[in-house]
Amino acid sequence: MSGWDGIDEFVAVAETGSFSRAAERLRVSSSHVSRSVARLEDRLQARLFYRTTRKVSLTESGRAFLARCQRLAEQRDDAFLAVGALQGGSDSDVKGVLRMTCATAYGEQFVMPLINDLMERHPQLSIEVELTNRQLDLVQEGYDLAIRLGRLSESSLVATRIAPRVMHLCAAPSYLERHGSPDSLTSLGSHQCLTGTSDHWLFDDNGQDWLFRPRGRWRCNSGFSVLDAALRGFGLCQLPDYYVKDPVAEGRLVSLLDRHRPPNTAVWAVYPQKRHVPAKVHAAIRHLKDGLARRQEYR
């Protein structure tokens, strides 16, 4: 029996709060995780978890043991990466399973083609991607990386800006012919608005944030559906540049109140805080940043 037996399983259960989620993270069975933790407790002659049918929580001994195990696991991973770099260079480190998540529409259109290209370049890399508009807990659910859009909330995660994100207020010429163009922020209240996932629109008013709560008879949590409704002349929309770039350039949409366009937000790569980030995560972030920069940006 190795001195490492049960350590990875223990850390995974502690970080996810569940034997089943730990098994998913480690790609083993729940019974394997349970047996490994039980054997570790026998070796330590200490109980590490309180277990109920609904909850798993650390004992005092478990909390003290966890911090040390996490440091040991990171040092072990660092050692493997260092040896790999000496033997095969940086590309040889880009291997294993990269688990990541991203918003559905943005992921389908922009992220996945680049991630597929990354996997093609690195034959030892495997990819698992969850496209969802829910904000997943990276640590609890065992994800290496998330691509998130807009302003980030306070978090213990590390965030790296990988692309700009410019918001545009737009409408179809057919709508403007019927209802006229808004000539100020205060005139927005008299227009039909197409709302998506957010209950407010952000604008810049002489350097200050100006929040507007759009009202109308249409709402959907899909950016592409908002775009389609705007193209049909149903009302005003506020969407990121990657939705409206081509329709504006082609004259199918008109960009409005550009002087009040909000300050650029961003596309972020977000990942759990570690002393050393795995090579696969560094490679993915670098590749996404380079690939997104190559796209022509609408201004």
Side-chain angles (χ1 to χ4, degrees):
M1 178 179 291
S2 165
W4 283 101
D5 287 350
I7 297 293
D8 289 327
E9 291 84 355
F10 163 68
V11 171
V13 173
E15 291 180 344
T16 63
S18 163
F19 281 82
S20 59
R21 286 197 293 268
E24 291 174 3
R25 176 193 289 192
L26 299 173
R27 302 175 69 83
V28 296
S29 67
S30 296
S31 60
H32 169 85
V33 173
S34 181
R35 287 195 301 270
S36 296
V37 171
R39 286 196 295 265
L40 180 62
E41 289 177 320
D42 287 342
R43 287 163 54 204
L44 295 171
Q45 292 295 292
R47 189 176 186 179
L48 300 175
F49 293 109
Y50 296 117
R51 302 168 176 83
T52 68
T53 55
R54 295 185 177 182
K55 187 177 179 181
V56 176
S57 59
L58 286 163
T59 64
E60 183 178 354
S61 297
R63 288 194 296 272
F65 192 49
L66 175 62
R68 290 169 173 79
C69 287
Q70 288 173 321
R71 287 197 296 270
L72 285 171
E74 287 186 7
Q75 290 169 0
R76 178 196 59 187
D77 293 343
D78 291 345
F80 284 139
L81 286 175
V83 172
L86 289 172
Q87 291 181 336
S90 58
D91 279 354
S92 68
D93 295 340
V94 183
K95 57 189 176 183
V97 180
L98 176 68
R99 298 192 73 229
M100 61 180 293
T101 180
C102 182
T104 304
Y106 189 81
E108 288 175 341
Q109 188 170 3
F110 300 106
V111 172
M112 287 313 301
L114 292 170
I115 290 299
N116 289 340
D117 179 53
L118 179 70
M119 192 177 77
E120 193 171 44
R121 294 185 182 189
H122 298 283
Q124 297 185 74
L125 182 67
S126 299
I127 303 293
E128 292 184 8
V129 182
E130 178 78 13
L131 295 181
T132 176
N133 293 329
R134 292 187 303 111
Q135 185 164 303
L136 304 180
D137 187 317
L138 303 192
V139 175
Q140 289 291 325
E141 300 186 51
Y143 285 93
D144 301 300
L145 179 66
I147 305 303
R148 290 182 177 164
L149 312 173
R151 292 184 172 181
L152 297 176
S153 58
E154 290 295 323
S155 172
S156 60
L157 302 174
V158 180
T160 299
R161 185 179 184 272
I162 61 173
R165 182 175 181 262
V166 184
M167 301 298 291
H168 295 264
L169 178 72
C170 297
S174 60
Y175 175 85
L176 299 176
E177 288 171 5
R178 296 193 306 273
H179 301 282
S181 298
D183 57 6
S184 67
L185 292 175
T186 55
S187 68
L188 291 175
S190 63
H191 285 270
Q192 283 291 318
C193 298
L194 309 172
T195 53
T197 55
S198 177
D199 62 357
H200 68 269
W201 292 351
L202 177 66
F203 296 92
D204 176 77
D205 185 21
N206 295 319
Q208 300 294 318
D209 285 350
W210 195 87
L211 293 181
F212 171 68
R213 295 192 178 276
R215 291 179 295 177
R217 60 189 184 93
W218 193 99
R219 183 183 184 98
C220 181
N221 66 345
S222 162
F224 285 115
S225 296
V226 173
L227 175 61
D228 182 66
L231 290 169
R232 293 171 184 266
F234 292 172
L236 306 180
C237 70
Q238 189 183 58
L239 286 171
D241 47 2
Y242 42 82
Y243 285 107
V244 302
K245 169 187 170 184
D246 291 339
V248 169
E250 296 162 0
R252 294 184 293 140
L253 286 179
V254 178
S255 186
L256 305 165
L257 299 180
D258 288 347
R259 69 185 183 278
H260 292 296
R261 188 179 297 159
N264 290 359
T265 53
V267 180
W268 301 92
V270 179
Y271 52 94
Q273 192 163 24
K274 291 185 178 181
R275 193 162 56 88
H276 293 291
V277 180
K280 61 187 178 183
V281 174
H282 273 307
I285 294 172
R286 205 163 47 239
H287 189 72
L288 287 168
K289 189 171 185 177
D290 291 344
L292 293 172
R294 287 193 296 268
R295 297 188 60 88
Q296 183 179 2
E297 181 181 348
Y298 174 76
R299 296 189 184 276

